[in-house]
Amino acid sequence: MPKDAPLNSGALLEMDPVGPRQRVSEMQAKLHRWAAADPGRRFDDLFNLVHDPATLIVAFDRVARNRGARTPGMDGLTAADVEERFGVPGFLDGLRAQLKRGSFRPLPVRERKIPKPGGSGKVRRLGIPVIADRVVQAALKLVLEPIFEADFKPVSYGFRPKRRAQDAIAEIHFYGTHGYRWVLDADIAACFDEIDHVALMDRVRMRVKDKRVLALVKAFLKSGLLTELGEHQETFTGTPQGGIISPLLANIALSVLDEHLHRAWEPDGELSTSGRRERRSAKGLPSWRLVRYADDFVVLVKGTRQDTEALREEIAQVLAPMGLRLSEAKTQLVHLSEGFDFLGFHIQWRRKRGTDKWYVYTFIADRPVRSVKAKIRTLTHRTSQQDLAVVLVNLNQVTHGWANYFRHAVAKRTFSNLDNLVWWRVIRLLQERHHWNWTDVRRRLTTPTGRWRPISAGEIELRKISAIPVTRYRYRGNKIPTPWTPAIT
């Protein structure tokens, strides 16, 4: 097949009438299949897929269901406002007409600063696009993601379909268990703000030939920023964090790192088989494995500290052409026996109590525990005037969402301690609200046999997170499917 063979998008979309979601899913499956079959193919005639009615309907649906749908851009409109004032069909018809005429221009994103987790006092800058821009970005992502997913390496887990943080932790656990004990725990400084636009567009062009799609991507990169003070700023670098397409563009940029470090693991590469890795080790040469989640990544090394330091310098040189640099404050070189934090987990190689055997353990890091405790205290302030049912619903949502994320770590004791904290916080709230003493508490919350009843308000009951089963998360390796291919068994 010619490398720049045009895509017959008309034939692709001319099918029996089906639901928009199924139609888009079939379109994505074909794009992914063609991209995987021909790694050198550059796709043309994609623009018709971007403004296809089915694509825009699915894109709007995703925007409207997103948690940020109630946050307006610089025009002050939310997804609900669009539905009430214009109606979705009319809104999408107008948007499609602008795209087809070539008159669509993205508006500057509205700046919003939010505190970074951990109580450091630092802020993260988000860029909030207007609803129309979000829909077009979502449509672009629907078309581009299956193409680039065919090229992304299995060592990347952040903001990719069917992949999650637990997969990255499981991979670290797997390779740590197999002798990869030196760790480069790295963070890219201001990644979303400093990506070089020229270098990023060059990587997009490796797969996309359609000039209208390329112009649309570039227009979003150059759309500008409306600061919290009302000032307009040009965007010469970066992809605004908060835009729907930004994570995909960041992964396209950072795939330069994945490709460089994973090249040795490709078929016929020097690390591709266990035999080759063992021969390298016998010669005193290192083996390494990258595990990346968005702009946070670790490199696990079976070798020496000097080997890991050399890899750090090599990585800095690989990232430089993309306009990116490692954060000096957040990048560290540690031995696995010291332990390190990644994605909220603390991973450490340590001796099992009562034995001489050493294992890699995954614990919950201190910062997430402090963070969830702070949220619990905020929700259960003694002078809170919220209805008890509302308090219990909020507590259940916060604690169970948190616990489900961490339930694959060594977490039983932490869960029990948090249950204890929550119970006492609610009891003290009730004592303050109803002027109960301890006798009142026991009379109202114990059975005639003296057993404690769950705290409840009507049908809403305070649920214990210690009841959530703590299980090992199984490492899936290269068996993680995309949404467009069956699982590998």
Side-chain angles (χ1 to χ4, degrees), residues 3-246:
K3 297 298 183 186
D4 295 341
L7 171 68
N8 187 357
S9 60
L12 188 149
L13 289 173
E14 287 175 4
M15 57 180 73
D16 294 334
V18 293
R21 193 169 300 171
Q22 181 182 344
R23 186 173 178 181
V24 169
S25 180
E26 291 173 357
M27 174 266 289
Q28 290 181 307
K30 290 182 179 180
L31 290 175
H32 183 75
R33 186 169 66 249
W34 294 335
D38 187 357
R41 179 172 181 173
R42 296 177 67 220
F43 287 80
D44 202 355
D45 199 18
L46 293 175
F47 192 68
N48 291 335
L49 303 179
V50 174
H51 66 65
D52 182 80
T55 308
L56 293 177
I57 289 171
V58 174
F60 184 87
D61 182 60
R62 293 194 175 184
V63 169
R65 288 189 291 111
N66 189 281
R67 284 190 304 173
R70 291 176 292 181
T71 305
M74 63 174 292
D75 62 357
L77 292 177
T78 65
D81 294 332
V82 168
E83 293 175 5
E84 293 173 6
R85 297 186 192 180
F86 312 108
V88 176
F91 174 77
L92 295 182
D93 285 346
L95 193 57
R96 182 169 187 253
Q98 289 183 51
L99 288 168
K100 291 181 70 175
R101 289 196 307 267
S103 61
F104 174 81
R105 297 290 182 275
L107 295 174
V109 297
R110 181 171 70 87
E111 180 187 54
R112 183 179 178 185
K113 295 178 181 178
I114 61 173
K116 286 189 174 182
S120 63
K122 297 181 179 180
V123 296
R124 175 177 288 122
R125 189 173 71 169
L126 300 181
I128 303 171
V130 299
I131 291 296
D133 292 354
R134 289 183 226 181
V135 173
V136 177
Q137 285 192 31
L140 266 174
K141 185 180 178 183
L142 287 170
V143 173
L144 296 180
E145 186 173 54
I147 295 173
F148 285 96
E149 272 292 324
D151 298 332
F152 289 160
K153 302 303 177 184
V155 295
S156 166
Y157 294 97
F159 305 114
R160 294 184 60 190
K162 301 287 187 179
R163 291 168 171 258
R164 53 181 73 95
Q166 287 79 3
D167 287 311
I169 299 301
E171 179 150 343
I172 294 171
H173 191 282
F174 177 84
Y175 283 97
T177 301
H178 287 78
Y180 290 70
R181 301 280 156 72
W182 281 103
V183 181
L184 174 63
D185 177 18
D187 178 84
I188 299 174
C191 175
F192 283 84
D193 296 329
E194 295 187 2
I195 294 174
D196 183 88
H197 287 174
V198 175
L200 173 58
M201 290 303 301
D202 285 344
R203 292 194 68 81
V204 175
R205 288 189 189 93
M206 291 171 66
R207 274 303 202 172
V208 178
K209 188 183 179 185
D210 192 321
K211 292 183 179 180
R212 295 168 297 177
V213 171
L214 293 171
L216 202 52
V217 173
K218 187 174 182 180
F220 281 117
L221 293 174
K222 301 292 186 182
S223 62
L225 179 76
L226 183 68
T227 69
E228 291 183 334
L229 300 177
E231 300 173 352
H232 183 269
Q233 293 182 358
E234 299 293 331
T235 47
F236 299 105
T237 60
T239 173
Q241 195 168 352
I244 291 174
I245 202 172
S246 294

Side-chain angles (χ1 to χ4, degrees), residues 9 54 80 101 165 169 181 232 278 376 438 458 460 473-474 485:
S9 60
R101 289 196 307 267
I169 299 301
R181 301 280 156 72
H232 183 269
E278 288 171 5
I376 290 168
W438 185 244
I460 307 300
Y473 188 88
R474 297 301 175 186
T485 56

